[in-house]
Amino acid sequence: MPADPQPSPTSEPLRAERAPAVEVRRSSRRRRTVSAHREGDRVVVLIPARMSQAEERRWVDTMLDKLAAQESRRRPGDSELAERAERLSAQYLGGRARPASVRWVTNQNTRWGSCTPAEGSIRLSHRLQGMPEYVVDYVLLHELAHLLVPGHGPRFWRLLEPYPRTERARGYLEGVVAAGRLPHPPRPSGD
């Protein structure tokens, strides 16, 4: 009997507009239940091994919809992000950082956030959505600090010293980047 759970032969990016990649794992121990969760930038859908390819496709679509609905309830929108920025600026920067706009963007795949001091605009990568709040707060505070000090010199880092979870958040983000570089185990052939 093959190892449990096993990737399905259709484990390749599906519905790319909604998730970067979907991996389906079939389990002979799983009888009726289907579940889904995120592993980094990938969505993993767990299904019973006996399911047909048509059932698999239907369940992948269903679980992607459910996961998106769950995540949208947890994700703050742009207005909540702006309120959060105002609160962080008041708490850690004496209210001096006042962005003109703060928003989520989907076109930042190599950065967690960016700031254009001349325009007062801050953009956070959608990849932060669903990460712990202290991580999102750190990235937002980091970009707020750039409204006051453009570079990454000693003056910039002094602005972030009051935030108690700077090192923890940076470690978390480094771990996410490192995990994305790990090789994926080879898929069993003949399934």
Side-chain angles (χ1 to χ4, degrees), residues 74-90:
R74 286 193 303 246
R75 293 178 184 163
D78 290 350
S79 61
E80 291 89 357
L81 202 55
E83 291 169 13
R84 201 171 186 171
E86 187 178 327
R87 180 179 43 81
L88 288 167
S89 176

Side-chain angles (χ1 to χ4, degrees), residues 98-103 114-123 146-147:
R98 294 189 188 104
S101 70
V102 182
R103 62 190 174 97
S114 62
C115 173
T116 307
E119 297 173 5
S121 63
I122 292 176
R123 295 156 308 278
H146 279 307
L147 291 175

